[in-house]
Amino acid sequence: VVTVGPDTSAKYAAEIMAEHGFAALPVVDEDDRLIGIVAEADVLRDRMPPDPRLHLRRDGETPAAPPSLLVHGVMTRDVRSVEATADVADIARVFVDERLRSVPVVDHDRLVGIVSRRDLLRALVRPDEDIRHELLRLVEGYTGALDSWEVTVTDGLATIRRTRGVPEPTAAVEERALSA
């Protein structure tokens, strides 16, 4: 995860976001604890001075104070994050309901990653054949039954069927494990 510290230059944070196409960067302390997030909008706020030829100022209007040069002056401190053990479906709901583009992933309060809407979209558009191979590998690894499975995937929806052998320990246990 690309991060910045609170004393990082806001301009440098903007350069990283622009260069890598990031919407936001987690802000961490010296112990990698999440203390904030700096987004594109945070850096843009008040940094583009209006053209005085296009925006006539009324007499006596006070110009805005210059924006902070450091991340701690522009970052959002109340950060929405998710635990590393979070269900991907719950993360998708956070993106939709809270209109976020990315969220930091933490293990307790320590940053371990960041996930974006684009990451979830990539998972949705994986080729069916790639999904089929991965599921077959997982099922054979879990059951130990090689060449005993038919896995089909159509538009991301998988069907797994035992073609030979006996479920261990029972058919019900195997079916619960495979449908989870």
Side-chain angles (χ1 to χ4, degrees):
V1 180
V2 177
T3 64
V4 293
D7 294 325
T8 301
S9 148
K11 181 179 179 185
Y12 179 72
E15 289 171 4
I16 292 173
M17 286 186 277
E19 182 178 324
H20 297 285
F22 299 148
L25 295 171
V27 182
V28 295
D29 66 12
E30 55 278 344
D31 295 321
D32 287 332
R33 282 200 266 306
L34 183 65
I35 60 170
I37 195 161
V38 61
E40 295 163 319
D42 296 328
V43 175
L44 282 173
R45 190 174 298 111
D46 300 326
R47 290 199 189 280
M48 300 299 221
D51 184 337
R53 296 168 297 171
L54 299 175
H55 301 274
L56 297 175
R57 296 184 187 263
R58 294 184 199 142
D59 289 339
E61 189 174 302
T62 309
S68 175
L69 297 178
L70 301 178
V71 165
H72 71 77
V74 297
M75 72 182 195
T76 300
R77 294 176 192 283
D78 186 22
V79 182
R80 177 61 159 100
S81 63
V82 295
E83 283 289 328
T85 56
D87 185 332
V88 173
D90 293 337
I91 296 170
R93 172 79 42 221
V94 166
F95 287 148
V96 172
D97 291 350
E98 299 181 32
R99 298 179 182 211
L100 297 174
R101 293 178 62 186
S102 61
V103 291
V105 180
V106 295
D107 185 4
H108 302 290
D109 63 347
R110 204 161 249 115
L111 182 72
V112 294
I114 191 162
V115 64
S116 70
R117 289 187 301 198
R118 187 168 296 141
D119 294 329
L120 297 190
L121 285 174
R122 280 189 196 110
L124 286 177
V125 299
R126 281 180 60 199
D128 287 346
E129 192 59 23
D130 290 356
I131 297 169
R132 188 185 84 71
H133 283 297
E134 179 69 11
L135 285 174
L136 185 58
R137 184 187 68 74
L138 289 170
V139 169
E140 288 179 343
Y142 172 74
T143 64
L146 305 179
D147 300 322
S148 299
W149 301 95
E150 177 182 276
V151 177
T152 58
V153 180
T154 305
D155 288 336
L157 182 63
T159 303
I160 303 170
R161 185 175 71 84
R162 184 182 269 280
T163 57
R164 62 182 198 176
V166 180
E168 294 285 336
T170 68
V173 168
E174 188 174 273
E175 187 169 325
R176 268 196 317 272
L178 294 176
S179 64

